[in-house]
Amino acid sequence: MRASARVMIDELARVAAPSTVCVAGRVTFVGPDRVRVEDASGAIGIELAACAPPPDYAWVRVEGAWDGSQMRALSVDVLRAPIGERWRVHGEWVRTHQDARRRMTLLTQRAAIVRAVRGWLDGAGFVEVETPSAVPSPGLDLHLDAFSLGNAREPRWLITSPEYQMKRLLSGGLERIYQLCRCYRRGEEGSRHQPEFTMLEWYRALAGSDDVMRDTEQMVAHAARTVLGTTRVEGERGAIELAAPWERLTVDEAFERYAGVRVADVLPDEERFFRILTETIEPELGRARPVFLIEWPASMASLAQLLPNGRADRFEAFVDAMELCNGFGELTDAVEQRARLQHDQRAREARGLPVYPLDERFLAALEEGMPPSGGNALGVDRLVMLLLGARDIDDVVALSAARL
């Protein structure tokens, strides 16, 4: 009796015996009378009986007799055999399966985290949108450089963020929107950076920064509970509790608490400001529970509204000394926004950086009227690192830039 369909290896225990079954996968051991076959769910040793041994590491389809605990081959079909020997050390199978299938496990859990994030946003009434990756202006942030596209009819760059296009949708009346997309930034590569990475960006109209900070707390905790069964994760210095509420700490308070200096005594020297922030303050943030660093100097958030105290309505979340997200109470004044972007153009030119155009359709949407809104941009790769205890972004992406 022929098997009707392939059975995943981890499902064999539920198959009635005796019966004829079919499994398929990769041969990872060849003995004189037995082979081991692995698929994505597990591995099984199969008695070859009268069948010829397949090549080592070949993809095979095996039909055989299942007695409830063992399988005896009736036929072995070789679907594809490897060429050469390089794969034994540098192959994709070895990379995915080494250390007890660590990478396979991480990538599977990553998918579960993304599903949990989507599920939370969908349940909170957000609409998932998709906006173009090739845009007329990639943004004018002084610390970002974009990839330009050749052979385009008009100048185009890959997005560093979908912000401009999503804000146009807010002006069009979509009140709660989110996007999971690939973003691109030149010169960013390291243990926490990739030049191409996954961004989650979402906006709430008729809301503010406090609202999207609460979204962040609830969504991250939900993802942790869904995938890990707990809101506690292990950090470099011990356990971190992700459940709300997260601490709120102003930039001024952080400089005084961790660096013993006042921001007013550091600025306008922005180079010194960021050196103190990255070398002295950030390593201490979010070690026991996450913290939102709020109320930034006005010069450091050209897309954020100003608060009554003159600070920018900007926040960044830090967990285990790692920046997880960056959000704003959004600037909606079209005249002020144009002036700030033009200032950024002049600053980029003075530093010898590429000067990108203004996005006139984005500015026109502000002129039409964008409602008061809060928005946040969260690094999905970093969220996965945090929840799964990975120390290098390369561990949680399918293929890093270095492996292309």
Side-chain angles (χ1 to χ4, degrees), residues 250-298:
T250 69
V251 170
D252 292 82
E253 290 168 340
F255 268 72
E256 293 179 12
R257 178 185 300 181
Y258 296 113
V261 297
R262 297 170 61 244
V263 171
D265 295 331
V266 176
L267 292 178
D269 187 345
E270 290 195 6
E271 182 178 342
R272 184 184 174 210
F273 174 95
F274 283 108
R275 185 170 64 252
I276 293 172
L277 179 65
T278 58
E279 295 179 3
T280 305
I281 298 172
E282 289 184 6
E284 303 303 320
L285 297 178
R287 291 299 191 176
R289 62 173 174 151
V291 58
F292 287 113
L293 200 58
I294 63 174
E295 297 187 15
W296 287 67

Side-chain angles (χ1 to χ4, degrees), residues 46-263:
I46 302 174
E47 181 185 346
L48 285 172
C51 297
D56 195 17
Y57 270 64
W59 288 93
V60 296
R61 181 183 185 275
V62 182
E63 192 167 283
W66 172 248
D67 69 2
S69 61
Q70 298 184 65
M71 183 174 173
R72 179 174 178 271
L74 300 174
S75 67
V76 177
D77 296 327
V78 176
L79 307 176
R80 183 68 65 188
I83 299 172
E85 297 292 325
R86 184 179 184 276
W87 52 268
R88 291 186 183 274
V89 177
H90 301 291
E92 301 298 343
W93 179 275
V94 172
R95 178 171 167 77
T96 304
H97 286 71
Q98 64 188 358
D99 300 328
R101 297 185 167 201
R102 179 172 180 267
R103 281 189 60 75
M104 179 177 284
T105 300
L106 289 173
L107 292 176
T108 302
Q109 289 178 307
R110 175 194 174 102
I113 291 168
V114 172
R115 284 195 299 272
V117 166
R118 265 200 173 96
W120 187 91
L121 288 161
D122 292 342
F126 286 82
V127 175
E128 184 171 8
V129 299
E130 294 178 329
T131 58
S133 295
V135 294
S137 175
L140 290 159
D141 189 305
L142 296 181
H143 304 288
L144 298 180
D145 284 327
F147 290 97
S148 62
L149 291 180
N151 302 319
R153 185 175 57 185
E154 298 176 352
R156 290 290 185 268
W157 291 264
L158 292 175
I159 56 169
T160 59
S161 159
E163 182 166 1
Y164 290 172
Q165 287 68 42
M166 294 185 75
K167 286 181 175 178
R168 288 172 60 182
L169 298 179
L170 294 175
S171 292
L174 287 164
E175 294 187 8
R176 295 186 185 184
I177 54 176
Y178 78 92
Q179 182 166 189
L180 278 157
C181 63
R182 305 295 282 174
C183 291
Y184 308 84
R185 297 177 181 180
R186 290 184 55 170
E188 297 201 358
E189 192 164 354
S191 63
R192 295 178 178 177
H193 297 86
Q194 284 284 297
E196 177 181 353
F197 60 97
T198 303
M199 179 88 87
L200 166 65
E201 195 149 328
W202 76 96
Y203 292 88
R204 277 185 178 266
L206 305 172
S209 58
D210 285 337
D211 299 289
V212 287
M213 281 191 275
R214 283 192 291 272
D215 288 341
T216 308
E217 293 172 327
Q218 294 172 19
M219 181 179 61
V220 170
H222 170 78
R225 280 192 297 268
T226 301
V227 177
L228 306 177
T230 179
T231 56
R232 292 177 71 84
V233 296
E234 283 301 315
E236 291 180 341
R237 298 183 185 174
I240 301 171
E241 176 54 64
L242 299 178
W246 296 3
E247 183 182 5
R248 272 70 167 165
L249 185 67
T250 69
V251 170
D252 292 82
E253 290 168 340
F255 268 72
E256 293 179 12
R257 178 185 300 181
Y258 296 113
V261 297
R262 297 170 61 244
V263 171

